[in-house]
Amino acid sequence: MKKFKRYLITSALPYANGPIHIGHLAGVYVPSDIYTRYLRMKGEDVISICGSDEHGVPITLKARNEGVTPQSIVDRYHAMNKKAFEDFGISFDIYSRTSNKIHYETASDFFLTLYNKGEFIEKTSEQYYDEEAGCFLADRYITGTCPYCSNENAYGDQCEKCGTSLSPSDLINPHSTISGSKPILRETLHWYLPLDKYEPWLKKWILEDHKEWKTNVYGQCKSWLDQGLQPRAVSRDLDWGIPVPVKDAKGKVLYVWFDAPIGYISATKELTPDWEKYWKDEETKMIHFIGKDNIVFHCIIFPAMLKTEGSFILPENVPANEFLNLENDKISTSRNWAVWLHEYLIDFPGKQDVLRYSLCASAPETKDNDFTWKEFQARNNNELVAILGNFVNRTLVLTNNYYNGRVPERGKTNSYDESVLSEIGTLRTNVETSLDTFRFREALKEAMNLARLGNKYLADAEPWKIIKSDPERVKTIINIALQITANLTIILEPFLPFSMEKLRSFLNTGQLKWENAGRSDLLKPGHLINKPELLFDKIEDDEINRQINKLLATKKTNETSDVKAVPAKDPVTFDDFTKVDIRTATILEAEKIPKTTKLLKLKIDTGIDIRTIVSGIAEYFEPQDIIGKQISIVANLEPRMIRGIESKGMILMAEDSDGKLVLVSPSEKVNNGSLIK
Ligand SMILES: [Zn+2]
């Protein structure tokens, strides 16, 4: 394997039109942070780059909906997301943003370099134009019917129902998101990156030279390349974004997917004047951490841009994750089906590591995976509390009880002690091997095996049973347990930085470099440790039930808002309306009609008479529950014979989307026979 001098880690720029949720964290930011912290501990030259992606149509649409400027939208979410990352210990060296001046300059220069090399194809095409609003309709400014699944609300760039990428011309019955009007076609000039031209090179670079990429990433690239690449527009007719820096480009900006990845370069420039050694030296290893929806941009389009520009290195690896679902349903911002980071910290203050741990332990590394609150609770209670917390607490409490907090001498060791000590080194190697190949779940499991090892060692050696009979032996046991504890602060640091900082303060030690992991002399005899607190607390059922109920309430809200009311009926004249005699009445008697399931025979006081009405509501009401209820009826409906009974009129009911019937009653008691008009 090639040895690199330094590392450039990038994490997908989150889009600044919404807060960060657990899906983002599990897919991109927890793994990238674990990897970065690991490299830092190894003493590698590494920088970790991220920032907000602040251009593109969803931001301008949101601004329009809220009646504010796009800038105020991106300001809001940039600040919010930056804080969320800090709160969870995602240790970027810089969290920049693509609305910065340095990014405008960098992206413009990048475009100009390619432009001056004659790399772009300039092409006039017909695109949809909204005459009422006076603008072209890019991407999500246009909706219509999806040609593949008939979803009537497909966007100009994608159908969210079937997931197909679309272009506006694919839409059936297109209309403008801005004015609702039917757009016309109008000619417009754009610049295209000729991806087809780079296809042979991309095929070799990915399919032959990077067979080590994760199978989900490699597979998706192969499928794109097998389908054949097409030239792709890098500009848009929009007023929010980086202006295309050439003449005759008024009203045109760089396509957000051209400018966003250049954001990694701008952010590095902002971070250090030495930025070029990270971006232009073959001895730098560049790694993009992303979610699967970004694979094509980071594996095909951005490398094509970098290669064409000519002075940049290419990514060595793109360890993209699949998606995390929440309680068996796709995480969705618009449906509020998510666990938001800022809300999590209100409900579970100080428990950042519990979320980091459970997201890493069930990360969607090779296929989509599911987050459930029950599993979260089990990970905390059965693993963090019962294994790691329990081992550490026993070791530190015994040290304080037996030796007033001084690390005891290790005396003669037996073969079991020796095998335990050598296992520490083996586990370190296992963690390294997994991290080096981006298998974070496996790495975490191996790291936790060190705590399992310690737990088992104490349980087997039972120092509390022999403290009277063999005090010398107990010194050795506690010394070894303490060495394991000190090793935990190294090996678990990338995964659980908050808890390991706490543990170091209990041990009264500083942070150790990765190379020390595996040593059995990290704590010297006589070293004084502090009085410990609990490293993790049990999470009780009621805390978990509260989260589940919150999601159930969301589900209920979504179901209600998903329901579309039936379309309006044809108009009627006022005179026609007044022909219908609608009035209040009271149910005096109710009984089921034998041999039917749906019919009730009701005796009704209409204010003008007492009459019988047969109504098909028996499935929804028990007769005894509705006697005495005031209701609304149509009094002048022609009498009908139903099951041999003359029914004179009709009870008014509201029918819910699931067919449930509800009586329409006056909101307070009125006289029977009051006209409803
Ligand atoms: Zn569709």
Side-chain angles (χ1 to χ4, degrees):
M1 211 159 67
K2 187 177 167 186
K3 180 87 183 101
F4 290 87
K5 262 193 186 160
R6 66 188 77 77
Y7 291 80
L8 172 61
I9 311 294
T10 73
S11 305
L13 305 185
Y15 202 57
N17 78 333
I20 302 284
H21 56 61
I22 54 168
H24 299 122
L25 213 54
V28 180
Y29 306 104
V30 163
S32 96
D33 190 59
I34 292 168
Y35 192 68
T36 305
R37 285 176 181 270
Y38 162 65
L39 292 176
R40 284 192 195 118
M41 287 177 75
K42 283 174 77 174
E44 299 285 0
D45 178 355
V46 53
I47 52 172
S48 172
I49 302 293
C50 195
S52 297
D53 175 3
E54 304 190 323
H55 294 131
V57 171
I59 284 169
T60 52
L61 274 182
K62 192 175 181 92
R64 180 180 281 269
N65 287 341
E66 290 190 15
V68 298
T69 62
Q71 189 65 46
S72 74
I73 296 283
V74 300
D75 286 348
R76 182 197 310 162
Y77 290 110
H78 174 75
M80 191 172 181
N81 294 341
K82 186 170 192 283
K83 180 168 187 307
F85 286 131
E86 285 165 5
D87 286 345
F88 278 84
I90 307 298
S91 57
F92 302 128
D93 289 287
I94 184 166
Y95 189 74
S96 185
R97 53 196 307 194
T98 60
S99 62
N100 277 350
K101 187 164 170 280
I102 194 167
H103 176 65
Y104 271 61
E105 291 165 2
T106 309
S108 299
D109 287 350
F110 201 108
F111 180 93
L112 276 178
T113 305
L114 267 54
Y115 180 84
N116 291 331
K117 283 184 160 187
E119 283 292 334
F120 292 126
I121 302 167
E122 279 183 30
K123 202 166 75 179
T124 299
S125 64
E126 288 196 314
Q127 295 201 355
Y128 284 117
Y129 185 85
D130 182 333
E131 286 183 299
E132 275 180 42
C135 63
F136 280 99
L137 300 170
D139 307 319
R140 302 201 158 201
Y141 274 120
I142 189 157
T143 59
T145 302
C146 170
Y148 302 99
C149 75
S150 303
N151 167 23
E152 286 177 15
N153 297 309
Y155 293 116
D157 57 352
Q158 196 195 21
C159 170
E160 291 200 331
K161 198 166 175 200
C162 67
T164 313
S165 297
L166 300 172
S167 77
S169 58
D170 297 332
L171 295 172
I172 301 161
N173 188 25
H175 48 271
S176 164
T177 317
I178 305 171
S179 66
S181 67
K182 203 173 154 51
I184 58 153
L185 284 167
R186 189 182 266 198
E187 289 204 327
T188 179
L189 175 77
H190 283 291
W191 292 266
Y192 292 74
L193 193 64
L195 289 176
D196 47 336
K197 187 176 134 187
Y198 314 134
E199 196 180 294
W201 163 75
L202 281 163
K203 276 187 166 157
K204 182 181 181 306
W205 177 64
I206 299 173
L207 302 183
E208 290 176 33
D209 300 346
H210 283 295
K211 292 200 162 109
E212 80 284 9
W213 285 6
K214 291 175 60 177
T215 49
N216 58 327
V217 179
Y218 187 91
Q220 212 187 99
C221 291
K222 184 167 185 327
S223 132
W224 277 82
L225 290 166
D226 287 350
Q227 280 173 39
L229 302 176
Q230 304 295 324
R232 195 164 177 123
V234 299
S235 53
R236 285 288 188 271
D237 291 294
L238 284 175
D239 55 8
W240 176 247
I242 299 171
V244 173
V246 297
K247 250 187 5 177
D248 305 325
K250 199 164 174 295
K252 292 173 199 296
V253 299
L254 301 181
Y255 177 35
V256 62
W257 259 108
F258 186 83
D259 100 63
I262 298 174
Y264 300 137
I265 305 173
S266 333
T268 315
K269 276 187 182 175
E270 196 183 328
L271 174 69
T272 167
D274 267 350
W275 69 274
E276 279 178 305
K277 78 176 186 192
Y278 291 98
W279 277 98
K280 300 192 169 181
D281 184 345
E282 286 295 336
E283 292 189 288
T284 298
K285 183 170 183 169
M286 172 157 71
I287 294 156
H288 296 312
F289 282 88
I290 57 167
K292 72 169 161 188
D293 49 338
N294 282 338
I295 290 175
V296 63
F297 298 108
H298 285 80
C299 296
I300 292 183
I301 300 177
F302 190 43
M305 288 162 58
L306 293 170
K307 172 91 173 165
T308 308
E309 200 276 350
S311 67
F312 290 98
I313 56 166
L314 299 173
E316 267 303 305
N317 210 323
V318 187
N321 273 342
E322 301 289 293
F323 285 154
L324 184 74
N325 295 324
L326 170 61
E327 302 280 357
N328 285 312
D329 199 353
K330 198 175 163 217
I331 292 180
S332 159
T333 301
S334 58
R335 288 186 297 121
N336 193 30
W337 191 257
V339 177
W340 306 105
L341 297 197
H342 59 287
E343 291 187 1
Y344 172 90
L345 274 189
I346 294 170
D347 294 344
F348 297 99
K351 292 200 188 326
Q352 289 92 332
D353 276 351
V354 181
L355 191 62
R356 285 177 67 116
Y357 181 85
S358 57
L359 291 180
C360 181
S362 54
E365 285 186 357
T366 50
K367 56 180 175 37
D368 289 358
N369 208 358
D370 201 32
F371 175 92
T372 69
W373 281 111
K374 287 280 177 207
E375 187 184 329
F376 166 84
Q377 182 188 27
R379 295 259 183 223
N380 181 75
N381 294 356
N382 306 343
E383 296 173 23
L384 291 176
V385 174
I387 297 168
L388 175 58
N390 181 50
F391 165 65
V392 164
N393 192 55
R394 271 172 153 185
T395 303
L396 300 184
V397 166
L398 292 179
T399 307
N400 275 295
N401 289 353
Y402 297 163
Y403 313 111
N404 290 322
R406 299 261 173 213
V407 176
E409 288 279 356
R410 182 158 80 232
K412 226 175 108 218
T413 52
N414 61 29
S415 62
Y416 183 39
D417 300 336
E418 290 302 327
S419 76
V420 165
L421 288 173
S422 82
E423 182 69 11
I424 305 175
T426 309
L427 289 173
R428 166 197 156 161
T429 311
N430 294 352
V431 173
E432 282 175 6
T433 309
S434 303
L435 286 179
D436 288 339
T437 47
F438 308 107
R439 296 199 299 266
F440 296 95
R441 291 170 70 146
E442 192 181 274
L444 177 58
K445 205 171 162 204
E446 289 294 329
M448 277 297 282
N449 279 342
L450 183 55
R452 287 191 178 88
L453 177 75
N455 233 7
K456 183 168 186 312
Y457 179 67
L458 278 188
D460 290 344
E462 297 183 305
W464 45 87
K465 279 200 177 162
I466 53 170
I467 181 67
K468 291 265 154 52
S469 59
D470 195 353
E472 285 308 308
R473 172 72 192 140
V474 171
K475 284 184 187 168
T476 300
I477 296 168
I478 299 298
N479 180 291
I480 289 173
L482 282 165
Q483 304 305 338
I484 295 174
T485 308
N487 272 283
L488 282 171
T489 69
I490 305 173
I491 285 179
L492 279 172
E493 164 72 20
F495 306 91
L496 305 172
F498 295 92
S499 313
M500 291 308 107
E501 192 185 348
K502 232 170 159 182
L503 183 52
R504 286 195 301 272
S505 79
F506 300 162
L507 286 179
N508 190 21
T509 57
Q511 191 174 337
L512 292 166
K513 286 227 174 292
W514 187 264
E515 65 197 26
N516 293 298
R519 282 174 49 182
S520 53
D521 60 346
L522 293 174
L523 294 171
K524 306 282 179 256
H527 173 81
L528 185 65
I529 67 164
N530 291 316
K531 291 250 182 303
E533 299 155 29
L534 289 181
L535 209 47
F536 300 98
D537 307 309
K538 215 172 154 213
I539 294 176
E540 301 295 341
D541 287 347
D542 61 337
E543 293 176 83
I544 292 303
N545 289 338
R546 210 174 307 137
Q547 296 301 326
I548 293 172
N549 288 338
K550 198 160 142 185
L551 286 173
L552 287 176
T554 301
K555 190 153 255 179
K556 194 84 203 155
T557 312
N558 287 339
E559 277 164 8
T560 327
S561 61
D562 277 353
V563 171
K564 276 201 185 142
V566 290
K569 296 179 182 174
D570 291 337
V572 295
T573 63
F574 184 73
D575 284 348
D576 282 344
F577 169 71
T578 54
K579 287 178 192 163
V580 185
D581 184 329
I582 310 175
R583 62 177 68 216
T584 57
T586 295
I587 300 174
L588 301 177
E589 290 173 16
E591 58 179 289
K592 277 198 168 147
I593 298 180
K595 292 180 192 153
T596 70
T597 52
K598 290 187 178 170
L599 298 179
L600 287 186
K601 180 180 165 191
L602 307 169
K603 190 185 267 185
I604 304 286
D605 181 351
T606 66
I608 40 174
D609 55 16
I610 309 285
R611 60 171 79 181
T612 298
I613 294 181
V614 175
S615 184
I617 58 175
E619 286 174 303
Y620 297 96
F621 302 97
E622 290 298 327
Q624 67 270 20
D625 294 340
I626 54 171
I627 292 170
K629 274 228 179 228
Q630 198 161 45
I631 53 168
S632 316
I633 61 163
V634 177
N636 63 341
L637 200 65
E638 283 183 347
R640 282 203 296 164
M641 292 301 286
I642 301 172
R643 296 278 169 139
I645 304 162
E646 187 184 41
S647 176
K648 290 175 73 180
M650 186 175 76
I651 313 281
L652 292 183
M653 311 288 305
E655 185 176 5
D656 208 355
S657 59
D658 56 3
K660 182 183 163 199
L661 297 174
V662 180
L663 292 165
V664 179
S665 303
S667 61
E668 53 187 279
K669 201 156 179 71
V670 291
N671 291 327
N672 287 330
S674 300
L675 282 179
I676 296 175
K677 49 189 183 179

